[in-house]
Amino acid sequence: MSLDSAYTPGTLALSFELFPPKTAEGEAALYGHVERLMTFKPRFVTCTYGAGGSTREKTLTIVEQVKRRFGVPVASHLTCVGSTVDELRRYLTDASARGIDNIVALRGDPPHGESAFTAVAGGLRYGNELVSLVRKDFPGFGIAVAGYPETHREAASPEADLLNLKRKVDAGANVVLTQLFYRNDDFFRFRDRCHAIGITIPIIPGILPVTNLSQVQRIASLCGATLPPDLIEDLSRRDDPESQFDAGVAFAIRQVQALIDAGVSGIHFYVLNKSQATAAVLGAVGA
Ligand code: FAD
């Protein structure tokens, strides 16, 4: 299934994001978690693309295997970091030959130790250029792009960031998957602003259920998401892992339920290669 038909009015389209495990044991365990998550009938499953293309082969292997084992449509993430257009074309040709349905088209972050993104000679500078490449030369792929409810950290302004998102949409993206966030109002404002500038494709909230405080503080600081003070306070008071997990999941249940009540057409879960938290949330909201 391509992404343009994944979101239909009146239904909740779920998607799950994985990352390439470092070891064979990690990969074997991952398929067990994906199998449990299949209970919730996701419309598609995605796998991230490591900085600088470091996981190129692994990313394709994971999505290919997930599709083969579970019969679910898949998306490979792809970034412009460290690749020429010819290399990006080779990756897309390979992904197409291996039956990958969709591409999450991204610019990517600057390589480790560098503060600014610089395109390689013969490479691309922005996500919209990658969307154009995919749409023009690989029209069979559905395309998802990244959106930022709290504004991308390098953007000149929230308005400029939104116009840049519109460039990706105008270049042919089918869906916007958002960066993770914990304050629904940020998402609702973002969605309204997207609609106001004529973005009409689905804008799907990205949710990372918190399972422990230090992990979420690290991730949130990497991607610029604000953690609500009451959540931090609640988690800080609990010193055993089980209790932190329960509090994080309870928060995610409230957050996801409020999104569903507000009529979102889908939710993209950053599952971090585990099923427990996402399954607990989806079980509780009756998805
Ligand atoms: P862009 O859309 O190119 O935006 C980058 C910055 O440039 C923004 O500030 C934007 O406002 C500005 N900009 C965009 N276009 C223009 C233009 N034409 N002119 C001037 N300025 C412009 N990273 C990975 O390395 N691997 C992954 O697998 C991965 N998956 C992700 C999945 C999701 C759902 C999300 C939300 C993020 C993901 N990321 C991933 C992180 C992402 O790569 C970073 O956030 C990156 O810094 C920006 O990528 P982008 O595609 O949004 O870039």
Side-chain angles (χ1 to χ4, degrees), residues 213-266:
L213 180 60
S214 55
Q215 178 199 46
V216 77
Q217 280 178 323
R218 187 171 47 80
I219 295 175
S221 88
L222 281 175
C223 68
T226 308
L227 289 170
D230 53 340
L231 175 63
I232 299 180
E233 209 176 293
D234 187 13
L235 291 166
S236 316
R237 267 191 274 113
R238 302 160 185 262
D239 40 22
D240 72 296
E242 215 172 293
S243 169
Q244 286 207 355
F245 179 95
D246 290 345
V249 165
F251 181 90
I253 291 169
R254 290 193 297 278
Q255 185 181 13
V256 166
Q257 188 64 63
L259 289 167
I260 294 173
D261 293 346
V264 295
S265 50

Side-chain angles (χ1 to χ4, degrees), residues 83-160:
S83 291
T84 62
V85 168
D86 286 345
E87 287 163 339
L88 293 168
R89 278 211 181 91
R90 272 200 291 280
Y91 185 91
L92 291 161
T93 303
D94 195 8
S96 176
R98 292 162 77 163
I100 308 315
D101 309 276
N102 306 296
I103 298 294
V104 183
L106 303 143
R107 185 203 68 179
D109 283 320
H112 210 61
E114 291 175 33
S115 56
F117 176 89
T118 324
V120 296
L124 301 177
R125 293 166 308 163
Y126 295 111
N128 66 290
E129 297 174 352
L130 181 56
V131 176
S132 295
L133 172 72
V134 179
R135 185 48 76 229
K136 183 165 155 288
D137 294 349
F138 299 85
F141 286 124
I143 304 174
V145 292
Y148 301 88
E150 296 180 77
T151 303
H152 185 260
R153 63 168 83 233
E154 293 166 43
S157 67
E159 292 70 31

Side-chain angles (χ1 to χ4, degrees), residues 17 47-52 77-79 81 104-110 125-129 145-148 152-157 160-162 164-165 167-168 177-180 268 270:
E17 178 172 318
C47 184
T48 62
Y49 185 86
H77 295 216
L78 175 62
T79 78
V81 179
V104 183
L106 303 143
R107 185 203 68 179
D109 283 320
R125 293 166 308 163
Y126 295 111
N128 66 290
E129 297 174 352
V145 292
Y148 301 88
H152 185 260
R153 63 168 83 233
E154 293 166 43
S157 67
D161 203 29
L162 212 59
N164 290 326
L165 175 60
R167 286 181 215 265
K168 295 192 279 194
L177 303 175
T178 79
Q179 185 58 276
L180 59 95
H268 184 66
Y270 296 96

Side-chain angles (χ1 to χ4, degrees), residues 35-36 45 54 64 67 72 78 81 86 89 95 99 124 131 133 156 158 195-197 205 209 212 220 223 228 257 282:
E35 184 169 18
R36 284 193 280 285
V45 173
S54 54
E64 190 181 25
K67 182 170 183 173
V72 64
L78 175 62
V81 179
D86 286 345
R89 278 211 181 91
L124 301 177
V131 176
L133 172 72
H195 291 163
I197 63 156
N212 81 63
C223 68
Q257 188 64 63
L282 288 174

